[in-house]
Amino acid sequence: DPEILGMTTAMSQQLDRLSQLIEDLLWFSKDLPLEKRIPVPLYPLLCDVAEELSVMADEKGITIHITKTDSFVLGQDNLLERVFYNLLENAVKYSPSQTQVVVTVRPMRDSVSVQIADQGEGIPESCRESVFEPFFRVDKSRRRAIGGSGLGLAVCKKILDRHHARISIMPNHPSGSIFEIVFPS
């Protein structure tokens, strides 16, 4: 019966959304102490995350380009993987089809900068700090259509604070956003 099938599919999607929300809430409420900091090489970590997202990216014809680098940061690899997963997943979700997401790592004198640039709609200047607050949404209708808990960027910020790293958003010309994370080196 197509009606029952439709209901089961809708219920299954709601369950997925709910379990994602619970997982994000657990992440957010955890105190996430940094166990011990180890050197985490960025290039292999970013490549692993891009690989995990390759099906979603391929469906939209989006290529994820990562600059090869020997840079590493001190921290906890599983937490940093969560940060880059959230940021790259958002970049793919909110980018139009047939575009590029570009990840650039720049070692500087006393820090390492990681930039994730997309060609999406961009984030209005007035929202660029609020997006890191739990449950904040730039555009409620669009975000509901795409799904998500509204906690992803808040989780990123919380993990990055623990790594003494700063995250900020800049416009990507002509369209899109650049999320920049600066880690102390």
Side-chain angles (χ1 to χ4, degrees):
D1 183 340
E3 199 177 328
I4 291 174
L5 187 65
M7 276 172 53
T8 353
T9 308
M11 283 171 70
S12 162
Q13 286 170 344
Q14 288 297 337
L15 268 173
D16 287 348
R17 204 168 280 185
L18 198 59
S19 63
Q20 184 60 54
L21 173 65
I22 290 166
E23 192 189 331
D24 283 345
L25 276 168
L26 286 170
W27 264 89
F28 197 70
S29 62
K30 273 184 198 167
D31 230 10
L32 303 174
L34 276 188
E35 285 145 26
K36 54 178 196 289
R37 290 164 185 268
I38 57 162
V40 179
L42 290 170
Y43 186 68
L45 181 73
L46 289 161
C47 289
D48 285 351
V49 170
E51 182 57 40
E52 280 182 65
L53 291 165
S54 61
V55 173
M56 185 197 286
D58 290 347
E59 278 172 5
K60 292 181 76 174
I62 291 172
T63 51
I64 300 174
H65 179 74
I66 301 166
T67 320
K68 191 138 178 37
T69 176
D70 294 329
S71 296
F72 62 86
V73 295
L74 286 177
Q76 228 172 297
D77 55 354
N78 62 323
L79 293 182
L80 291 171
E81 184 177 359
R82 176 74 190 214
V83 168
F84 291 122
Y85 186 92
N86 284 1
L87 293 174
L88 277 172
E89 183 186 39
N90 280 353
V92 170
K93 260 190 205 174
Y94 297 117
S95 289
S97 299
Q98 314 305 320
T99 56
Q100 240 193 0
V101 171
V102 179
V103 184
T104 315
V105 180
R106 287 194 188 90
M108 296 182 289
R109 209 173 47 150
D110 47 10
S111 59
V112 176
S113 151
V114 181
Q115 291 190 346
I116 296 170
D118 66 53
Q119 295 170 296
E121 288 174 35
I123 293 169
E125 194 170 350
S126 59
C127 299
R128 283 185 200 142
E129 293 200 8
S130 317
V131 292
F132 297 107
E133 289 166 17
F135 306 113
F136 180 85
R137 292 193 179 286
V138 174
D139 169 351
K140 291 179 175 48
S141 59
R142 188 173 66 118
R143 303 282 155 145
R144 193 164 295 126
I146 289 179
S149 65
L151 274 169
L153 290 177
V155 167
C156 289
K157 173 100 173 60
K158 190 167 183 182
I159 292 171
L160 290 170
D161 285 348
R162 295 231 178 345
H163 285 81
H164 307 293
R166 297 191 313 275
I167 184 165
S168 56
I169 306 170
M170 299 170 281
N172 186 18
H173 300 293
S175 73
S177 298
I178 299 171
F179 280 75
E180 181 179 47
I181 304 168
V182 179
F183 291 95
S185 57

